[in-house]
């Protein structure tokens, strides 16, 4: 059993913990997939070559699909357990996947900082995807064994997609790292931009600790070794150095984001907020 | 065999509905007409991604977001199929892209109009894709094999596009008064440009005669336009919206809807590059292409390195 | 600056186990691995395939259409290669 020492948990009555943790845990998975899918979809129509425009759009679609599965499940848990979940414009009706995606504000979003970072150039987008897919693959591998059958099922379905994302992004990291002088330089730059956000992947939030202890979630600290192994191997083949700088940026999981997320949400949520309670 | 004889043989094949394939003899003008038409069509798919693509990040629900993304991605696929078909005629994709980027190639003018509201995504799906399908279905029987086969694939995939557009408009029309207004405003802006999508009137369409003779095209611009108006005039009733044409009414004698005069000045202005978004669209395509140059180069460079390493290892 | 276009590849897809691979179109890619992945993304978005072949277009050798009469017409009068050529009694229902 993992010791729960986070202060934010101390006010919550113990019997409520499992459901709360499940909701937060699932929202973290949903938000992370949605925001990365959203970011990748910004490439649609602007890719470096038609074939890759299609490829990155496919990954965006996969991630948005995963997010929907997690949101739908979260909504189900909230509705079934009659959890008081405060959302603007929502009264006297069941909560939907769209309410969760479109009516929560920055501080309530639980996605990783890594995925909300701007796309930058193709090299940065590739590296971000690689860091993330390497992590998500390991995460889903474990989540398939979750005691929560719904989470296990989503992980089992999604890991096939992630396997391909990892393969695709690994190949691109190698291609660009060991391509031209310019592409190598750009990948060094990308490493500089994104490495600092990788520590958060393995730093569990309180709800992740509870979820892991309940064996519905994954203990992310255990994923770090395999992740480092994969990253080291791919960077080596790409002739890129493994960064030695500390990766200290974190906070996304508990709602302390970078400035970028606010702009993403402003764009993403504008119709739902400008025309509340409308049917689209 | 003399050119005249070859031309006769070629026309006989076309007349007998025998497909022309890449390596077959064909009149130079047939080849050029096809390259022009297919590449324009491909460019239209690619440029067409822009006005819709800019709503992916603002789509109002997760379902709408996923379907719009899938649709815009399909358009990239369709552009790719068409570039491939044109490449069988001896022109490279790079050459075609260069023509697009330098403004020497045309693409469908409709994409030079802005998408201002979410309802525009509905209107594009219903009207613009509707008009495109009307143009494209006969192209599945086009005399040039690779073009016809690409079109079969495209038409199969397009069928969901128009439906998603209609569904969006229907939801808006039945929604709140503000949503209904959004939908009507959108039809007001997209109706006439869609009617113009069929191109100039038959007597002002310079390439039509040859294209009909060679069965690259099967119906004239005006025939297809009439068919489109007839269908939309009925479907708009289900939507509970109005087409912005006071002269639109059923003509029993003709068995068709009559419709108002088209503003051809506007049509030619947009074709000539003076539409509201011509510059913006071309700039966006150029930007994507230029910013992708280092990626394309690096990928080639890496593949060459890999090849050399394998060769070395084998030696 | 290396402005070379990515090579062109022809794509063949087996739509179902037990069927032949069929030509579906072409695409650009820097090597065979990328061509297969691109083919997966471009040509199997709607579950169209279970197996992909890619061949660099320049490696395909095609027969010349001018030779069509000498290559294919001689098969026209070999009706005895087809089962319907043979007259068998009606009682023999299945053969």
């Amino acid at each position: 059993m993992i010791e729960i020492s986070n202060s934010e948990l101390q006010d919550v009555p113990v019997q409520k913990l499992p459901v709360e943790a499940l909701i937060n845990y699932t929202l973290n998975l949903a938000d992370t997939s949605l925001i990365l899918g959203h970011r990748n979809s910004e490439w649609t129509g602007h890719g470096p070559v038609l074939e890759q425009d299609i490829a990155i759009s496919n990954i965006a679609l996969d991630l948005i699909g995963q997010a929907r599965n997690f949101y739908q499940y979260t909504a189900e848990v909230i509705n079934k357990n009659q959890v008081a979940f405060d959302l603007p414009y929502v009264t006297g009706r069941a909560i939907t996947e769209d309410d969760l995606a479109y009516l929560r504000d920055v501080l309530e979003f639980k996605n990783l900082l890594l995925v909300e970072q701007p796309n930058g150039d193709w090299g940065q987008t590739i590296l971000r995807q690689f860091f993330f897919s390497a992590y998500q693959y390991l995460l889903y591998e474990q989540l398939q064994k979750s005691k929560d059958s719904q989470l296990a099922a989503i992980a089992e379905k999604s890991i096939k997609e992630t396997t391909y994302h990892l393969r695709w992004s690994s190949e691109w990291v190698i291609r660009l790292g060991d391509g031209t002088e310019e592409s190598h330089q750009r990948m060094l730059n990308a490493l500089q931009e994104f490495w600092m956000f990788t520590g958060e992947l393995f730093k569990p939030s309180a709800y992740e600790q509870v979820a892991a202890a309940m064996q519905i979630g994954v203990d992310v600290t255990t994923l770090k070794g395999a992740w480092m192994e994969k990253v080291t191997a791919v960077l080596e083949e790409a002739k890129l150095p493994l960064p030695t700088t500390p990766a200290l940026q974190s906070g996304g999981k508990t709602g302390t984001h970078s400035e970028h997320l606010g702009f993403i949400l402003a764009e993403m949520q504008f119709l739902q907020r400008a025309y509340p309670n409308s049917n689209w | 065999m003399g050119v005249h004889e070859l031309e006769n043989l070629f026309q006989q094949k076309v007349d007998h509905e025998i497909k022309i394939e890449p390596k077959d003899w064909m009149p130079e003008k047939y080849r050029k007409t096809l390259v022009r038409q297919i590449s324009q069509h491909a460019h239209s798919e690619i440029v067409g991604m822009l006005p819709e693509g800019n709503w992916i990040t603002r789509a109002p629900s997760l379902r709408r977001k996923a379907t719009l993304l899938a649709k815009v991605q399909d358009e990239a696929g369709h552009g790719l199929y068409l570039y491939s078909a044109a490449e069988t005629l001896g022109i490279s994709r790079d050459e075609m892209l260069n023509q697009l980027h330098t403004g020497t190639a045309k693409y469908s003018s409709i994409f030079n109009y802005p998408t201002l509201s979410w309802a525009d995504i509905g209107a594009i799906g219903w009207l613009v894709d509707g008009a495109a399908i009307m143009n494209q279905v006969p192209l599945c029987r086009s005399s040039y094999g690779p073009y016809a086969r690409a079109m079969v694939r495209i038409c199969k995939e397009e069928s969901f596009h128009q439906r998603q557009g209609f569904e969006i408009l229907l939801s808006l029309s039945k929604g709140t008064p503000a949503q209904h207004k959004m939908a009507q405003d959108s039809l007001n802006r997209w109706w006439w440009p869609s009617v113009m999508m069929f191109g100039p009137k038959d007597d002002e369409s310079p390439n039509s005669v040859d294209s009909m003779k060679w069965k690259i095209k099967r119906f004239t611009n005006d025939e297809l336009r009439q068919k489109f108006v007839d269908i939309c005039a009925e479907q708009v009733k289900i939507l509970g919206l109005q087409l912005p044409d006071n002269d639109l009414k059923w003509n029993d004698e003709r068995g068709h809807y009559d419709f108002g005069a088209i503003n051809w000045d506007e049509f030619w202005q947009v074709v000539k590059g003076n539409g509201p978004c011509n510059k913006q669209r071309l700039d966006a395509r150029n930007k994507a292409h230029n910013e992708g140059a280092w990626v394309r180069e690096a990928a080639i460079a890496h593949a060459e390195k890999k090849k050399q390493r394998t060769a070395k290892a084998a030696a | 600056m290396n402005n070379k276009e990515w090579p062109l590849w022809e794509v063949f897809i087996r739509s179902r186990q037990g069927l032949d691979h069929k030509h579906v179109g072409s695409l650009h890619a820097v090597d065979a691995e990328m061509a297969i992945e691109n083919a997966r993304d471009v040509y199997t978005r709607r579950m169209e395939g279970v197996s992909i072949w890619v061949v660099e277009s320049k490696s395909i050798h095609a027969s010349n259409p001018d030779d069509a009469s000498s290559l294919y017409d001689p098969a026209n009068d070999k009706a005895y290669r087809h089962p319907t050529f043979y007259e068998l009694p009606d009682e023999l229902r299945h053969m």
Side-chain angles (χ1 to χ4, degrees):
Chain A
M1 188 81 186
I2 291 165
E3 205 182 335
I4 302 159
S5 56
N6 193 309
S7 60
E8 77 178 57
L9 284 172
Q10 282 165 3
D11 305 333
V12 185
V14 179
Q15 69 275 18
K16 269 184 126 182
L17 268 177
V19 172
E20 293 253 1
L22 177 60
I23 290 168
N24 287 334
Y25 187 75
T26 314
L27 280 175
N28 156 257
L29 297 173
D31 292 343
T32 294
S33 288
L34 176 65
I35 298 300
L36 187 56
H38 181 98
R39 275 296 191 213
N40 285 342
S41 80
E42 293 172 11
W43 276 104
T44 306
H46 308 274
V49 64
L50 209 38
E51 283 80 355
Q52 297 304 326
D53 200 305
I54 294 171
I56 191 89
S57 303
N58 253 351
I59 295 178
L61 271 173
D62 287 343
L63 289 168
I64 292 169
Q66 293 175 13
R68 291 188 66 185
N69 287 329
F70 287 124
Y71 282 131
Q72 284 164 9
Y73 180 49
T74 317
E76 194 187 309
V77 171
I78 292 171
N79 294 330
K80 214 160 64 188
N81 293 285
Q82 297 180 322
V83 176
F85 201 95
D86 204 19
L87 288 169
Y89 318 120
V90 181
T91 43
R93 64 167 173 83
I95 281 174
T96 67
E97 54 168 352
D98 287 333
D99 297 331
L100 294 170
Y102 289 89
L103 298 176
R104 285 180 307 136
D105 205 346
V106 170
L107 299 177
E108 293 148 294
F109 260 72
K110 295 176 173 54
N111 61 279
L112 300 167
L113 292 180
L114 176 69
V115 301
E116 71 196 40
Q117 301 309 308
N119 286 344
D121 62 20
W122 183 253
Q124 290 177 33
T125 295
I126 289 296
L127 188 72
R128 183 183 61 196
Q129 188 64 49
F130 169 64
F131 281 163
F132 177 72
S133 295
Y135 158 81
Q136 198 188 38
Y137 178 83
L138 297 166
L139 180 82
Y140 282 161
E141 214 176 27
Q142 297 303 315
L143 194 60
Q144 291 181 93
K145 301 173 209 155
S146 169
K147 279 195 172 164
D148 184 303
S149 61
Q150 195 62 34
L151 287 181
I154 298 173
E156 195 185 330
K157 178 169 176 282
S158 307
I159 196 169
K160 293 176 199 156
E161 298 167 347
T162 307
T163 305
Y164 185 73
H165 304 168
L166 179 57
R167 169 177 159 176
W168 179 87
S169 58
S170 303
E171 285 171 5
W172 266 107
V173 169
I174 293 164
R175 218 172 260 139
L176 296 177
D178 184 24
T180 60
E181 187 50 47
E182 181 182 0
S183 70
H184 183 77
Q185 201 53 48
R186 283 178 185 266
M187 291 311 280
L188 290 177
N189 183 38
L191 279 170
Q192 180 90 29
E193 288 286 328
F194 290 147
W195 183 257
M196 66 180 101
F197 301 109
T198 56
E200 188 187 21
L201 311 184
F202 312 103
K203 193 177 156 196
S205 60
Y207 57 78
E208 282 176 297
Q209 290 178 351
V210 177
M214 285 156 51
Q215 294 177 322
I216 57 167
V218 177
D219 177 359
V220 288
T221 58
T222 63
L223 307 179
K224 192 170 181 183
W227 185 85
M228 279 301 284
E229 222 170 274
K230 175 74 184 172
V231 168
T232 306
V234 168
L235 290 184
E236 193 181 305
E237 205 182 335
K239 301 195 160 52
L240 292 167
L242 186 70
T244 49
T245 47
L248 296 177
Q249 298 306 314
S250 68
K253 289 176 177 179
T254 47
T256 311
H257 290 273
S258 62
E259 289 177 348
H260 305 295
L261 185 65
F263 291 98
I264 294 179
L265 297 189
E267 189 174 346
M268 187 172 86
Q269 299 179 336
F270 117 81
L271 278 171
Q272 285 262 354
R273 290 181 182 272
Y275 304 89
N277 277 322
S278 301
N279 222 327
W280 298 97
Chain B
M1 225 184 282
V3 170
H4 191 65
E5 213 175 324
L6 285 167
E7 266 175 15
N8 277 342
L9 261 174
F10 170 84
Q11 191 60 48
Q12 271 175 34
K13 267 175 139 177
V14 171
D15 291 344
H16 286 95
E17 303 286 341
I18 296 171
K19 291 273 185 272
I20 307 300
E21 294 296 339
K23 292 199 148 199
D24 295 346
W25 186 90
M26 60 185 82
E28 190 47 27
K29 213 177 150 210
Y30 175 84
R31 197 187 72 84
K32 277 197 174 138
T33 304
L34 274 172
V35 167
R36 198 194 59 239
Q37 185 177 326
I38 301 174
S39 62
Q40 276 182 14
H41 192 165
H43 298 330
S44 301
E45 297 280 355
I46 301 309
V47 177
M49 295 172 76
L50 299 170
E52 289 180 276
N54 85 51
W55 278 92
I56 293 172
T57 50
R58 289 179 288 171
S61 73
L62 294 173
R63 178 169 175 267
R64 293 285 180 220
K65 198 181 192 68
T67 49
L68 180 60
L69 178 49
K71 180 188 180 226
V72 179
Q73 186 206 30
D74 269 352
E75 277 151 18
H78 298 171
L80 194 150
Y81 306 157
L82 289 162
Y83 283 128
S84 296
E87 280 173 284
T88 63
L89 292 158
I91 186 170
S92 72
R93 193 198 290 178
D94 268 1
E95 280 173 79
M96 290 184 270
L97 287 179
N98 190 49
Q99 291 169 355
L100 171 67
H101 297 149
T102 54
T104 53
K106 297 262 179 289
Y107 56 84
S108 182
S109 283
I110 194 87
F111 302 120
N112 290 319
Y113 290 89
T115 46
L116 301 178
S117 78
W118 170 250
D120 290 8
I121 299 306
I124 288 182
W126 180 47
L127 294 175
V128 177
D129 290 320
I133 289 168
M134 203 138 288
N135 266 319
Q136 287 169 357
V137 168
L139 291 176
C140 297
R141 294 190 294 133
S142 164
S143 61
Y144 187 59
Y147 190 25
R149 290 192 286 275
M151 290 315 305
V152 168
R153 221 183 159 81
I154 290 172
C155 286
K156 227 192 263 172
E157 297 186 356
E158 283 270 342
S159 56
F160 102 73
H161 295 185
Q162 200 190 7
R163 295 170 75 109
Q164 70 100 43
F166 194 87
E167 197 191 77
I168 288 171
L169 285 178
L170 194 61
S171 305
L172 293 175
S173 176
K174 287 180 165 173
T176 64
Q179 284 178 306
H180 184 89
K181 187 164 164 284
M182 196 191 279
Q184 184 58 55
D185 165 77
S186 176
L187 286 197
N188 294 348
R189 282 180 292 111
W190 288 93
W191 171 247
W192 287 109
S194 302
V195 173
M196 293 181 205
M197 272 180 76
F198 296 91
K201 281 186 289 194
D202 290 346
D203 46 14
E204 285 164 23
S205 177
N207 302 313
S208 276
V209 180
D210 279 343
S211 290
M212 296 286 284
K213 183 180 87 183
W214 289 331
K215 300 197 178 174
I216 296 174
K217 244 172 111 164
R218 301 252 171 188
F219 298 97
T220 70
N221 295 352
D222 285 335
E223 283 169 349
L224 290 170
R225 186 171 5 248
Q226 181 68 59
K227 208 170 152 199
F228 175 71
V229 171
D230 288 348
I231 289 176
C232 292
E234 289 300 318
Q235 290 181 346
V236 78
K237 295 177 190 166
I238 304 170
L239 284 176
L241 296 166
Q242 250 118 49
L243 295 176
D245 180 357
N246 293 329
D247 298 325
L248 185 77
K249 59 173 175 296
W250 178 253
N251 182 328
D252 234 353
E253 218 168 290
R254 292 203 307 126
H256 289 292
Y257 275 90
D258 290 336
F259 55 99
I262 292 168
N263 181 350
W264 291 110
D265 277 350
E266 177 184 324
F267 174 78
W268 290 113
Q269 281 304 331
V270 182
V271 170
K272 282 179 195 146
N274 299 321
C277 299
N278 292 60
K279 183 174 181 307
Q280 187 185 334
R281 301 290 183 241
L282 270 195
D283 287 352
R285 283 315 313 158
N286 271 296
K287 183 168 180 280
H289 189 74
N290 295 337
E291 289 180 355
W294 72 272
V295 178
R296 297 190 299 273
E297 279 162 33
I300 284 251
H302 178 75
E304 275 166 12
K305 279 186 198 175
K306 225 168 59 175
K307 219 189 270 173
Q308 276 166 16
R309 272 178 222 145
T310 331
K312 225 176 180 178
Chain C
M1 254 237 200
N2 183 350
N3 271 324
K4 258 199 298 181
E5 192 171 22
W6 290 3
L8 190 66
W9 299 74
E10 300 300 321
V11 180
F12 301 80
I13 289 184
R14 185 201 296 286
S15 58
R16 247 187 319 126
Q17 216 58 32
L19 295 183
D20 291 324
H21 283 79
K22 197 175 147 218
H23 183 244
V24 294
S26 58
L27 48 75
H28 291 268
V30 293
D31 55 25
E33 290 80 39
M34 194 205 261
I36 287 178
E37 287 171 18
N38 289 351
R40 178 260 191 196
D41 285 332
V42 172
Y43 289 104
T44 67
R45 296 198 305 284
R46 290 175 168 80
M47 303 179 291
E48 292 98 333
V50 294
S51 164
I52 296 172
W53 285 352
V54 292
V55 186
E56 207 173 335
S57 307
K58 68 177 184 199
S59 303
I60 291 192
H61 301 271
S63 62
N64 188 335
D66 294 344
D67 298 338
S69 55
S70 63
L71 288 176
Y72 315 117
D73 288 356
N76 279 348
D77 61 355
K78 311 278 193 303
Y80 46 79
R81 288 196 200 275
H82 299 279
T84 48
F85 178 76
Y86 301 92
E87 284 177 29
L88 298 177
D90 289 345
E91 305 94 89
L92 187 76
R93 287 232 176 89
H94 302 290
M95 178 178 274

